[in-house]
Amino acid sequence: MNKSLTKTSKFLSLVLRHRPEAIGLQLDSEGWLVIEELVDNANSRGETLTRQLIDEVVATSDKKRFAISADGQRIRASQGHSVAEVDLNLEPVEPPAILFHGTVAKFLESIRSQGLRKRTRNHVHLSPDQLTAEKVGSRRGRPVILIIDAESMNQSGIQFFRSANGVWLTDAVPARFITFP
Ligand code: HQG
């Protein structure tokens, strides 16, 4: 992805996950914005944004962060929100036996005592494989990989969801389901 697309992707993450009010908009209850309104409001605030740029970002995003509605009129982030009112309306699904979480050493003591918490986001994010978890952890430093006993969690009644781009989401991971390195 070239520089201007990366910049657009970051701007879309900001608006569609965290601060739609930055351009005077509100996400609907499932996290969608009308693309035309998004473009107009962004432009009126000095941001360079076009429908074409949006389509390019959606098509080339390595992680498929954004999804366009079937009618082509609306866009939303597939996961990662901190806007509290957004309900992605995902169906609970049975997780694989094991999932992974990439983090860094400085959080371990707290995770050992509290388990994984969603903090500012609406879910705890878990990865389907170790390599993905390593990439997530690397955003903050040397990655530390936690192994999550998703099967036992699910058997104990904790629900899992899978975002459109393959990220596993849950409300919290109690420490007893975590294997630390
Ligand atoms: C840590 C990116 C202390 C947790 C990625 C993480 C992902 C705790 C940080 C997505 C804790 C939260 C999400 C506890 C959790 N005590 N620290 N009890 N519980 N933590 O960014 O999972 O590129 O909200 O380990 O690829 O890092 O944006 O979550 O380090 O899919 O599309 O608190 O963001 O996707 O950080 O990343 P985050 P995350 P995008």
Side-chain angles (χ1 to χ4, degrees), residues 81-99:
H81 299 78
S82 61
V83 173
E85 298 76 21
V86 169
D87 180 352
L88 292 169
N89 241 339
L90 300 170
E91 290 293 322
V93 278
E94 194 179 314
I98 279 177
L99 287 166

Side-chain angles (χ1 to χ4, degrees), residues 94-170:
E94 194 179 314
I98 279 177
L99 287 166
F100 301 87
H101 180 84
T103 189
V104 283
K106 67 176 176 192
F107 293 146
L108 289 182
E109 197 185 318
S110 166
I111 295 172
R112 274 181 207 280
S113 69
Q114 307 178 337
L116 286 170
R117 298 268 188 95
K118 53 195 172 185
R119 310 187 93 191
T120 63
R121 303 205 196 231
N122 295 354
H123 294 97
V124 171
H125 288 57
L126 301 172
S127 305
D129 56 76
Q130 185 144 351
L131 190 64
T132 307
E134 274 167 20
K135 286 187 193 151
V136 173
S138 303
R139 288 153 53 239
R140 303 179 192 284
R142 200 163 78 83
V144 173
I145 307 302
L146 309 181
I147 299 174
I148 312 300
D149 183 355
E151 187 173 25
S152 301
M153 274 177 74
N154 199 222
Q155 279 165 3
S156 80
I158 300 172
Q159 291 188 325
F160 287 79
F161 307 89
R162 191 175 176 276
S163 73
N165 62 338
V167 178
W168 285 89
L169 306 171
T170 193

